[in-house]
Amino acid sequence: MEGHRKEEKTSFVQSLADPGHPVKCSPVIIDNVPLNGPTLNVLMSENFIHQSMSIIVEDAIKKATDVREKVCEWRSPEQLKELLDLELRDGAESESEILQRFKDAIRYSVKTTHPRFFNQLYAGMDPYSMVASFIIEALKPSLYTYEVAPVFTLVEEAVLKKMMELIGWKDGGDGIFNAGGSMSNMYAVNLARYRCCPDIKENGLSAAPHLVMFTSQECHYSISKAAALLGIGTKNVYAIPSDERGKMIPSALEEQILSAKSEGAVPFMVNATAGTTVLGAFDPIDEIADICEKHNLWLHVDACWGGAALVSSKHKHLLKGIHRADSVAWNPHKMLMACLQCSAFMVRDKTSLLQRCHSARASYLFQQDKFYDVSYDTGDKSVQCSRKPDAFKIWLMWKALGSRELEQRVDRALAMARYLAQEIKQREGFRLLMEPEYANICFWYIPPSLRNLPDGPELWGKLHKVAPVIKERMMKKGSMMVGYQPHGEKANFFRMIIISPQVSRQDMDFVLDEIHNLGKDL
């Protein structure tokens, strides 16, 4: 009886491993490899997956979002290499060892979902977007054809339609989610060039005149990278001066366009920034659009950071005129808190310009005689082949929260930024760089030893060394993360980024107290 039960159990496990096939059959061996059944039984990994999810919930969600926990457990590269045992070997490790591996990975990683992580233009944890990410990883879809990603193809279409409505394109447009804001900006440069010189696609750079493009000196570095990657050349990116608030000066833009034309160059594109990386500045899009229309130039708006203001009736004025843009980049993984990465590139054109520019017509993917509407096969618009359905991460979150809750998140983040700015102005030893326009708060901390020095080279030279030391101390303590940088002629200052609804007024007060405690002896 006992033996019979054992045989039944074995047969059941084998049937799970090879469903639909008889348990007993003649072995098939090719090149000394048995082929009768699969060698991977996912169901046998169920216990490991359950244990893993428990660790993720406890360590990567609960602890990582607990203000009483550290933002990071800092270790030097040498120490971390020793702790993690990164070497890959011929033999497999045990399940318990693997569980410990990813516990360590979580422990020594920076907790960007922590309420006191203010270091980057993304932060916080949204549970709906996180679950969407889990679903994506479990299903492993690739968004090039409807046949392999039917749900996610329609989701992307729906999200892009909603985002284009917020931009103000009443007649819609076209678009695609892609691998980050830098990629979106590269799409814009390539598309603008294609509209100007379509022969470049087939004939290469030899078919191009001396093309030049324009952007503010405050723009994201990806604009120059795109020019380098696409063969336009970084010297052909004209940096337009910005005013004291970091906004592009329209008159300077037109002056440089006319100058470039007089030198025989062919201007083809202007990049405006809605929410600059450091100062959070918004270029005057309406005035720039007037100039672009006058000179027949493609207007791209890099709204990767500032695009979220479009969901707020109180703050959407920051992007006044964006409906006049030819293309827009917008990253919901920033202020809207979708999981990384979630980046949309949208164009106002409805003549399949995006498709014509990037299409390669791969016959093994984009057959035109399929049994369904092949207009839903969007992969030929992309420079990627494999492409994750990133739109699902913002779609599920948007469905769960609604537009009103997203609007409240944006409004609260900007209100919190105003609160911090007020506190900085009232505290001895703190100096605001400028009143924040968005969620970037830039300020200096002046230690007691420097407070009697007059403004001048001595003060600024010494102050330049303060922020890096305080940053090192906060990282090693793990209490919080705030970025710093120089800017033009200005000495190093702190740049706080406020996003997460987990953040409270008490966290703002803590940041200022902690900076003082970490730097008062300098």
Side-chain angles (χ1 to χ4, degrees), residues 178-192:
N178 59 83
S182 292
M183 181 70 80
S184 293
N185 289 337
M186 189 200 74
Y187 270 106
V189 175
N190 200 39
L191 209 59

Side-chain angles (χ1 to χ4, degrees), residues 256-284:
Q256 292 217 34
I257 291 171
L258 293 171
S259 176
K261 286 183 174 180
S262 70
E263 295 168 359
V266 178
F268 74 100
M269 173 188 172
V270 174
N271 172 69
T273 308
T276 59
T277 306
V278 178
L279 302 178
F282 288 74
D283 288 339

Side-chain angles (χ1 to χ4, degrees), residues 280-296:
F282 288 74
D283 288 339
I285 300 171
D286 245 347
E287 294 176 63
I288 294 170
D290 288 340
I291 295 168
C292 288
E293 287 179 7
K294 179 179 177 181
H295 295 278
N296 192 30

